Amino acid sequence: MSFQADCIFCQILQGEREASFVYRDETVTAFMDLFPVVPGHVLVIPNDHQQDFSRVEPEQAGQMFQLGREIGSALHRSGMSVEGISYFLAEGEAAGQVVPHAHLHIIPRHAGDDCGLQLHKGIPERAERGVLDRRAAALREALKPDAIF
C-alpha cells in the first residue's frame, strides 16, 4: 500500500488519527466525515493513496462505488432520517476537492436541507449538436481503441 505522510486520510488508515469506521477491508475504507454536511455523511476512500480519482486502479474505483451504493442502502435501513442520498466525488481544487486523497461522499438528504450541488446557475444554454459530436469524437479518440460505438 502506498501512503503519503502528510495526508490526513492516510494518517487515518495508519491509525495515526481517529475515525469512526463504517467499513474497512484490504482495498477500501469508509468512515464518518468529521465535518459532516448533514448527519450521517460518510466518506469512502481507496486504501492506496491517490490524489486524483482518475488515477485510482479501476477495480478499486469500482469497489469504492459498490461500497458507496451499499452504504446508501444501509442509510435507508439504519433508522436515520433519510429522504434521498447524494453521491459526490470531486477531483482537483477547481472541482471542490479539499483533501488531496480520492474520496467519495455519501450524503443523506432531506428536502430543504440547504445542501446541494448546483450544476447550472439558471437555465443552461443548449449545446449545438456539431459541438457535442466533435467533443464526443475527441473523447472516443482518447479512450481505449477497442471501445465499441
Side-chain angles (χ1 to χ4, degrees), residues 7-10 43 49-51 90 92 96-103:
C7 172
I8 189 168
F9 290 172
C10 289
L43 301 174
H49 180 83
Q50 282 296 342
Q51 179 170 329
Q97 184 178 9
V98 176
V99 176
H101 186 123
H103 55 287

Side-chain angles (χ1 to χ4, degrees), residues 20 31 40 46 52 55 59 69 78 82 87 100 104 125 146:
S20 298
F31 50 89
D52 299 329
R55 294 177 189 252
E59 184 176 312
R69 186 193 67 77
S78 70
V82 178
Y87 299 86
L104 172 66
E125 190 173 312
D146 59 346

Side-chain angles (χ1 to χ4, degrees), residues 23-80:
Y23 179 90
R24 188 168 189 181
D25 67 21
E26 63 280 347
T27 307
V28 295
T29 298
F31 50 89
M32 304 304 296
D33 193 307
L34 187 58
F35 300 97
V37 174
V38 296
H41 182 171
V42 177
L43 301 174
V44 176
I45 66 170
N47 291 349
D48 287 318
H49 180 83
Q50 282 296 342
Q51 179 170 329
D52 299 329
F53 179 73
S54 60
R55 294 177 189 252
V56 173
E57 291 294 324
E59 184 176 312
Q60 197 171 35
Q63 290 171 335
M64 286 174 65
F65 274 91
Q66 176 64 26
L67 179 56
R69 186 193 67 77
E70 292 174 13
I71 290 171
S73 180
L75 279 164
H76 285 291
R77 296 188 312 270
S78 70
M80 288 187 236

Side-chain angles (χ1 to χ4, degrees), residues 126-141:
R126 185 181 182 111
E128 294 179 21
R129 180 60 52 204
V131 171
L132 294 174
D133 288 344
R134 286 190 297 279
R135 290 178 181 157
L139 287 170
R140 280 195 306 273
E141 182 68 25

